[in-house]
Amino acid sequence: MDVIYRYDPFAPIVPREIPDSESAIDRLLQGNQRFADMVHAIQQRTLGEGTGEPMVLPLCPVSLGLPLFQGAVLNQAPFALVLGCSDARVPTELVFDQWLNDLFVLRVAGNVLGTACLGSLHYAARHLGESLKVVVVLGHSKCGAVQAAVATYLSPRNFSDIAYTFALRTLIDQIQIAIRGSAHALRDVAGPSIAQVPDYESLLVTTAVYVNAAVSALELRRELDQRGFDQPVVTGVYEFETLSVQALPGVPGPITEVGTRLRPGPSNPDELSQYAKAVAEAALRARDSSPPSTGH
Ligand SMILES: [Zn+2]
């Protein structure tokens, strides 16, 4: 299968038009769908399926965020700010199929907020506020930082082994609020015995990556409100199995259905608790509908 990038200098130039947050979210979701479709097409070919027709991707310097002429320098004008995890498997631009000058990205393990991260956010809110239409917190499934935080929650005795430096402990500590919230939500939905099931740790991680993104979104909301930046903060989780950004565990809804892929982050602790419950329910449903784990 050939994947061809094609630039036609005589094709009409289509400028990027993202007037509001809805079109910004749509652009991100369309991009994520393109990325998933591309990978699925490649995977089908691996199995000898699919047409094998070349895939032609038209390119234009303007839509790529590149200057048309040598020596020109573009102003910085991202349409979205994304707080994501450092995980090498989740490169922000690729997952959303976006290019240069599209995203202002903060990446830190566990997508938590630290001082330097907040400084970047304050800079962006003040200097890029005109072009930024949406703020996204992007978690991902099987996040190592969340797994470490869950492990310390379930086995506090191992805390110093897992979080073996002060800096690492600071990071893991920040995720604990999401782990506790997720544990509460799972207990509320399935009863106290849920903590005894063999796959409880995995359930807790699944739930906590979503809740952790929402916790960061709530913090971001508060920070941005103080700075008069009123564009929406939305959250989602990139799932390795589906390649999709989604708002709840399980099979993702269509990208046209508002809130199934990226949904508004909580604006207060009650909304956070409600969301945690919805995630716990979805995580339990997804686990009941998937084939039994082999333990690997
Ligand atoms: Zn991660």
Side-chain angles (χ1 to χ4, degrees), residues 129-160:
E130 285 281 298
S131 71
L132 288 172
K133 301 295 183 230
V134 68
V135 174
V136 180
V137 182
L138 180 68
H140 68 94
S141 58
K142 307 197 169 30
C143 180
V146 173
Q147 284 171 336
V150 166
T152 61
Y153 173 78
L154 295 176
S155 312
R157 274 197 312 177
N158 298 334
F159 188 87
S160 58

Side-chain angles (χ1 to χ4, degrees), residues 74-105:
L74 298 179
N75 287 332
Q76 189 177 191
F79 71 88
L81 183 150
V82 183
L83 170 64
C85 180
S86 303
D87 193 298
R89 299 166 294 178
V90 195
T92 317
E93 278 87 351
L94 294 183
V95 162
F96 284 118
D97 192 24
Q98 301 300 315
W99 288 79
L100 290 80
N101 213 8
D102 283 332
L103 307 179
F104 187 90
V105 178

Side-chain angles (χ1 to χ4, degrees), residues 227-246:
R227 275 154 189 84
F229 183 90
D230 55 5
Q231 299 289 14
V233 177
V234 297
T235 72
V237 165
Y238 171 73
E239 289 277 357
F240 290 119
E241 287 83 358
T242 62
L243 307 170
S244 295
V245 173
Q246 42 194 89

